[in-house]
Amino acid sequence: SLFQKEWLGIDTLIVHNDLTRSALDKVAALYKKAKQKQLHAQVVKCLIYEYTLQNRITEGASDSLLNRIRKELADTRDETAKAILHSLLAKLYRQYLDNNFWRINDRKKTTGTSQPDITTWGVADFAQTIRKHLAQSLENTALLQQTPGDRYEAILK
């Protein structure tokens, strides 16, 4: 399959050598290649790996990763990729809320989640955003059901 050699190298760095940062660098390079070739499944896989690897270094999703996924969501024309990215964003916001609940619980609802700085959001803002992304991930149910599984084999393994 596509990038099989590269993914094997990344997995080796992670599993056998415990070199998380080196693996992150390789994922970033692979992301650029996948973007250039418009390989949506590979792009999504890179973002999932980046999220997983960053979690090994720091607890929870970083603002930069959330921004990258939001940008990818705005840029992609592939509806299946959009659905997966909406689902991933919902998961990241939920994880951020869970990890920081003790800090967020005392905050009031902001003027709206259009405010990009999630460090100012209250619990209601997170709940609203999580629900929105989950709903958007399921908007095109018929299309998702008709999408051949092998198109997204890269992330189904």
Side-chain angles (χ1 to χ4, degrees):
S1 73
L2 282 169
F3 300 132
Q4 188 171 0
K5 184 180 168 191
E6 288 91 336
W7 284 117
L8 182 61
I10 290 167
D11 287 339
T12 300
L13 285 171
I14 298 166
V15 177
H16 298 297
N17 303 334
D18 199 26
L19 296 171
T20 303
R21 289 194 188 278
S22 298
L24 264 171
D25 292 341
K26 298 272 188 200
V27 169
L30 198 55
Y31 172 84
K32 284 181 186 172
K33 278 188 197 176
K35 278 291 283 183
Q36 287 171 346
K37 296 182 181 202
Q38 296 187 344
L39 300 169
H40 304 296
Q42 293 291 333
V43 166
V44 171
K45 183 174 183 173
C46 288
L47 290 170
I48 291 169
Y49 261 69
E50 186 176 337
Y51 152 73
T52 305
L53 291 169
Q54 274 195 356
N55 260 354
R56 293 177 87 174
I57 298 169
T58 59
E59 193 175 289
S62 69
D63 282 342
S64 65
L65 182 58
L66 285 167
N67 288 334
R68 281 171 43 92
I69 294 172
R70 283 194 293 257
K71 183 180 182 330
E72 188 63 44
L73 193 52
D75 290 349
T76 189
R77 299 281 168 256
D78 184 89
E79 292 301 318
T80 305
K82 280 186 180 188
I84 295 166
L85 292 169
H86 277 298
S87 180
L88 184 58
L89 269 177
K91 180 179 181 170
L92 294 177
Y93 283 120
R94 178 60 202 231
Q95 182 181 20
Y96 187 94
L97 175 62
D98 289 347
N99 290 342
N100 296 284
F101 188 79
W102 59 275
R103 197 177 317 155
I104 295 168
N105 194 31
D106 292 335
R107 292 186 202 149
K108 302 290 181 243
K109 188 175 188 320
T110 64
T111 53
T113 55
S114 59
Q115 207 167 340
D117 183 8
I118 63 173
T119 62
T120 64
W121 290 9
V123 173
D125 298 308
F126 279 97
Q128 176 187 341
T129 302
I130 292 164
R131 277 193 304 271
K132 179 186 83 171
H133 283 292
L134 284 175
Q136 287 176 307
S137 75
L138 299 171
E139 267 179 4
N140 292 317
T141 309
L143 174 79
L144 294 173
Q145 289 171 339
Q146 293 167 7
T147 301
D150 60 350
R151 269 188 57 208
Y152 281 83
E153 183 182 350
I155 55 175
L156 293 175
K157 287 184 178 179

